[in-house]
Amino acid sequence: MFALVQVEDFDQGELYARLKQSADEKACGNTGAIVTFTGLVRDFNNAGDIDGIELEHYPGMTEKALMLLVEQASERFSLNSAGALHRVGRIHNNEQIVWVGAAAPHRQAAFDAACYLMDMLKQSVPLWKKEFKGDKSEWVAAKASDDKAALKWMHKK
Amino acid sequence: MQVTVKTFAQTREITGEDNIALNLSENSTIETVISQLKARSDKWALALEGSVLTACNQELCDPKTELSDGDELALFPPVTGG
């Protein structure tokens, strides 16, 4: 399992390989499904075009909270391994911002775990987005739809 | 006792203070600190009037949590990663 917070862009292939190796180390031959998700920076918001974003984080806590989430997902969905990476700092339009991956014996657990990781990440990991437009910038407000997405996991078995 | 208060994102920008040391009486809770900080200045009152998340020693926690000497308390708006 792994949780990474970094400024630099990432390589999906390398993260997939790291996840697979970690799953193999735990239960070689038992992994039947790997689901990964990559989030990108859109070039617009509700008010129009944007010129990229900046991610602020809480050094120390962000890494710990992300790792805790990966461990929780791993336990909840009986995964062979899981991983997450979130970028911080200035990120331009169309660039990669976040990656999560889950390796499980069967596909449903891997799909569910990837959704869970993203839904919960938006609730419990200290990261804050600011959007830029020309020389102006504005903090992104938390969305009620994100609260609902996280809440549904509280009620599911 | 003394605690460190850290702020992030809007809370940091509005207050203009990202790391302060506070002297508190024993058995103070996070709620007590928030009340004290709101009285510190208009900026702090504004920064803490909406929804604020609290973390103690880098773990999310309830505002009713009692603080201990040397704790690191963080105050920040709802998170928006992902």
Side-chain angles (χ1 to χ4, degrees):
Chain A
M1 288 189 284
F2 58 94
L4 306 165
V5 175
Q6 64 185 47
V7 172
E8 304 77 34
D9 196 11
F10 55 86
D11 182 319
Q12 293 178 51
E14 280 175 19
L15 293 171
Y16 176 92
R18 183 166 174 173
L19 180 66
K20 171 120 183 359
Q21 186 184 344
S22 161
D24 287 347
E25 281 166 10
K26 187 187 173 200
C28 194
N30 182 41
T31 300
I34 289 184
V35 168
T36 70
F37 167 86
T38 305
L40 308 175
V41 177
R42 282 186 297 266
D43 62 5
F44 64 92
N45 64 12
N46 291 339
D49 297 344
I50 63 161
D51 305 318
I53 61 168
E54 189 167 68
L55 254 295
E56 179 168 332
H57 76 302
Y58 181 174
M61 180 174 170
T62 307
E63 291 84 348
K64 272 194 252 179
L66 197 57
M67 191 64 203
L68 181 67
L69 184 57
V70 165
E71 287 166 359
Q72 283 169 347
S74 189
E75 192 176 329
R76 177 169 181 150
F77 299 98
S78 301
L79 304 177
N80 288 336
S81 189
L85 183 153
H86 209 294
R87 287 181 69 196
V88 293
R90 192 80 156 90
I91 308 176
H92 301 287
N93 290 352
N94 307 315
E95 285 188 5
Q96 305 182 121
I97 171 171
V98 60
W99 180 96
V100 300
H106 301 285
R107 73 177 185 279
Q108 195 59 53
F111 275 122
D112 287 348
C115 284
Y116 174 87
L117 282 165
M118 283 308 302
D119 289 342
M120 299 306 280
L121 186 155
K122 284 171 173 280
Q123 286 292 303
S124 63
V125 180
L127 291 157
W128 302 273
K129 274 193 201 111
K130 186 184 243 187
E131 291 171 341
F132 289 83
K133 170 129 188 163
D135 56 358
K136 290 191 178 142
S137 64
E138 200 168 326
W139 290 103
V140 173
K143 291 193 195 101
S145 58
D146 288 341
D147 288 348
K148 270 174 83 177
L151 271 174
K152 79 174 184 236
W153 293 107
M154 312 278 181
H155 304 302
K156 268 191 191 175
K157 283 198 175 168
Chain B
M1 65 174 183
Q2 195 175 62
V3 301
T4 304
V5 180
K6 292 189 169 195
T7 62
F8 295 92
Q10 294 99 313
T11 317
R12 173 182 55 74
E13 275 192 355
I14 295 170
T15 61
E17 295 186 275
D18 64 357
N19 193 335
I20 58 172
L22 282 186
N23 287 311
L24 303 171
S25 50
E26 294 300 317
N27 308 321
S28 291
T29 64
I30 293 175
E31 279 177 334
T32 325
V33 175
I34 289 177
S35 300
Q36 282 185 23
L37 288 170
K38 279 183 176 172
R40 189 179 167 99
S41 70
D42 290 347
K43 284 180 178 176
W44 275 97
L46 176 67
L48 300 177
E49 77 175 358
S51 180
V52 176
L53 298 185
T54 54
C56 186
N57 297 325
Q58 306 196 344
E59 278 183 26
L60 286 173
C61 65
D62 190 274
K64 296 198 187 308
T65 305
E66 221 171 80
L67 295 163
S68 304
D69 187 44
D71 277 352
E72 177 178 295
L73 169 64
L75 305 172
F76 45 76
V79 303
T80 54

